[in-house]
Amino acid sequence: MAAKQGSMKATITVAMSNYLEAGSIVAGAGGLTLWMQYLNLDDAKVGLLGALSANGFGSAVGAFLGGILVDKFGRKFIYKYDLLVYMLGILLITFSFNFPMLLIGYVITGIAVGAAIPAAWTYIAEEAPKGERAARVGWGQLAWSIGPAITLFLSVLLAPLGLLGSRIIFAQLFVVALITWILQQQINESTIWQEEKEKQKTQKVIGSKDVSWKQLFTIKANLKAIILLVGIYVFWNLVAGVMGYFMPYIYETVGGLSSAQANLLQGFLWTLTVVGTYFVFIKLGDRVNRKLLYAIGAAMGIAAWLVLTFGGMGMLELLTFVILWGLAAGFGAQAFYGLWSGELFHTRYRAKAQGFIFALARVAVGLISLVVPLMITTLGFQAAGMIMIGFLLIAAIVGLIMAPETRGKSLEEIQEERYGSVQESAQQVRK
């Protein structure tokens, strides 16, 4: 029992990286109009902030590098330095007085949060008991949801302070990051990663230099997992990424809401995501057919965007959208990405594969973030909404066709099913 409790404590400690990442994205989104007014930013600069931040290219670079480092040096390695870099970026944003300083802060923060993501999802999956893996991964998703909820409600509370309120919100992220960094120094290394490294040494199955990018795309089990995860996560995240950074902006510019109203509405959405994560993904993810859960979440997400796109921006439509999307996001593509990306790859590829896919998702969000404000201005919101619906349909179809059933199996059992025995796996690598 003591070991299990320790493992749960480590899970929550590592999951706090998700709180900080999502919190930093939404902190930027919640104060976006305030920074626009203070620094007189045009659409191009607003798009650049979104593209290079923790929501886009900055996070992509961090995830790509983090995945490589985490597979090579260990899951715990990244936690020695990552949040120190994060805190530097947050400080730059907190005290920004011009656009270059703000942009550099966003980039540094983005790199730091991206680097932590492959480590977090990998560590949580590897340390979870086989009958509780969805529940444990769900705590990472829960932290991801709580960060934005708290950040947005703080935005409403501090709205009378204007830009100072936004600076205070970033400052609280600095404090949380400092506490989390101290706690993360106390966690143990992933047992599964340590065992894999010992196998490589004693059995000479594979040397560290032999794990190449080619293997990630040529070994059948790897390629199949990549197609599934890119299909569900990259396309879903195009929508979620736009929402995470631009939704308050859309509420204000398209729906005519005030900044406080927009943040309150989005805070309610994230609160519902917490509810969906806990009562559906954490409670049912290890007990109910996962393809069924995925299908329900995907259908609710598509329905939400149909209402928003074709129903107008009245309060009834906005509340319907928020309820449908908020609940569905708790057990949607991101939660299943966190679960399946930890289950479907061999230990020697797990973090590297996650880093690649997460980087790809963030590059895609970065590219679309460059044009979102301009797209809404020139094409209109309905055309933009139809594009979002198309992305969600792709994610739904791929998930329904390719979703695996891995409930109740250990990572070692899943690994042997997909890659064969240790000897067979080694033969695949040497090809």
Side-chain angles (χ1 to χ4, degrees):
M1 180 62 72
K4 184 177 179 181
Q5 289 174 341
S7 178
M8 189 63 189
K9 179 181 177 182
T11 294
I12 294 173
T13 300
V14 168
M16 286 303 296
S17 294
N18 291 350
Y19 172 98
L20 293 167
E21 187 204 12
S24 64
I25 293 172
V26 176
L32 186 58
T33 53
L34 298 171
W35 287 107
M36 287 173 63
Q37 294 165 7
Y38 174 63
L39 298 175
N40 194 27
L41 304 180
D42 56 22
D43 282 350
K45 288 182 177 179
V46 172
L48 195 62
L49 282 173
L52 297 180
S53 69
N55 204 40
F57 297 134
S59 182
V61 171
F64 186 80
L65 295 176
I68 297 172
L69 294 173
V70 168
D71 270 346
K72 187 174 181 63
F73 298 110
R75 311 327 191 191
K76 185 180 176 180
F77 170 80
I78 206 74
Y79 297 120
K80 292 181 181 179
Y81 313 104
D82 183 71
L83 286 182
L84 298 176
V85 178
Y86 177 92
M87 286 185 277
L88 173 62
I90 290 294
L91 281 178
L92 284 172
I93 297 170
T94 302
F95 296 105
S96 285
F97 55 84
N98 58 36
F99 178 70
M101 188 175 178
L102 183 66
L103 184 62
I104 292 170
Y106 269 51
V107 172
I108 292 175
T109 304
I111 292 172
V113 296
I117 293 303
W121 292 122
T122 298
Y123 187 94
I124 291 171
E126 289 179 348
E127 291 293 286
K130 67 179 183 179
E132 299 179 26
R133 199 157 44 247
R136 292 294 181 88
V137 169
W139 284 102
Q141 177 70 11
L142 195 76
W144 185 287
S145 309
I146 291 173
I150 291 176
T151 300
L152 286 160
F153 287 132
L154 280 175
S155 296
V156 175
L157 183 66
L158 299 174
L161 299 179
L163 187 59
L164 176 61
S166 182
R167 295 184 191 274
I168 292 173
I169 290 168
F170 277 103
Q172 67 88 23
L173 288 173
F174 176 89
V175 174
V176 175
L178 178 60
I179 296 169
T180 302
W181 180 80
I182 293 170
L183 293 173
Q184 287 179 347
Q185 305 317 296
Q186 303 169 27
I187 65 173
N188 297 319
E189 181 56 86
S190 162
T191 304
I192 289 178
W193 181 85
Q194 289 179 314
E195 290 173 351
E196 176 64 23
K197 283 300 177 182
E198 286 302 314
K199 287 179 184 177
Q200 292 178 15
K201 290 178 182 177
T202 58
Q203 300 176 13
K204 297 182 179 179
V205 173
I206 181 171
S208 59
K209 294 182 180 178
D210 295 328
V211 179
S212 68
W213 284 102
K214 181 181 178 181
Q215 294 157 19
L216 200 57
F217 301 103
T218 54
I219 293 176
K220 184 177 179 181
N222 288 341
L223 188 58
K224 187 175 180 181
I226 287 172
I227 292 171
L228 165 66
L229 295 170
V230 167
I232 66 167
Y233 187 61
V234 173
F235 285 97
W236 180 88
N237 195 62
L238 280 167
V239 181
V242 167
M243 288 181 60
Y245 193 80
F246 289 106
M247 210 62 208
Y249 171 82
I250 291 171
Y251 289 150
E252 293 172 44
T253 58
V254 181
L257 275 62
S258 68
S259 178
Q261 288 173 327
N263 288 331
L264 189 62
L265 191 63
Q266 197 70 348
F268 178 50
L269 183 151
W270 281 105
T271 302
L272 290 172
T273 302
V274 172
V275 172
T277 301
Y278 183 77
F279 287 102
V280 181
F281 198 77
I282 291 178
K283 292 295 187 181
L284 302 178
D286 293 302
R287 297 191 295 176
V288 175
N289 184 285
R290 290 170 177 172
K291 184 177 286 191
L292 175 62
L293 291 182
Y294 182 86
I296 293 171
M300 289 173 65
I302 292 169
W305 270 89
L306 285 170
V307 170
L308 190 69
T309 302
F310 299 106
M313 284 274 187
M315 190 52 64
L316 177 62
E317 291 83 2
L318 287 174
L319 285 174
T320 302
F321 168 78
V322 163
I323 291 169
L324 285 171
W325 181 272
L327 290 172
F331 57 101
Q334 178 161 289
F336 279 102
Y337 164 78
L339 177 63
W340 289 332
S341 63
E343 290 182 333
L344 301 182
F345 291 103
H346 193 290
T347 303
R348 64 174 66 105
Y349 307 114
R350 190 168 289 129
K352 180 185 289 186
Q354 287 191 44
F356 166 75
I357 297 167
F358 193 85
L360 185 63
R362 285 302 192 231
V363 167
V365 171
L367 290 173
I368 201 170
S369 294
L370 288 170
V371 298
V372 165
L374 187 62
M375 183 168 60
I376 293 173
T377 302
T378 56
L379 299 179
F381 179 74
Q382 191 170 93
M386 291 173 67
I387 294 171
M388 300 296 113
I389 292 168
F391 292 149
L392 293 174
L393 283 170
I394 294 171
I397 292 168
V398 172
L400 290 175
I401 293 174
M402 299 185 66
E405 184 52 80
T406 48
R407 282 181 297 150
K409 299 175 183 178
S410 69
L411 290 183
E412 292 83 358
E413 290 169 342
I414 298 170
Q415 184 169 293
E416 186 164 347
E417 285 180 6
R418 296 177 59 78
Y419 292 88
S421 65
V422 172
Q423 290 76 14
E424 291 171 338
S425 180
Q427 289 173 2
Q428 292 182 57
V429 169
R430 286 194 290 265
K431 287 181 181 179

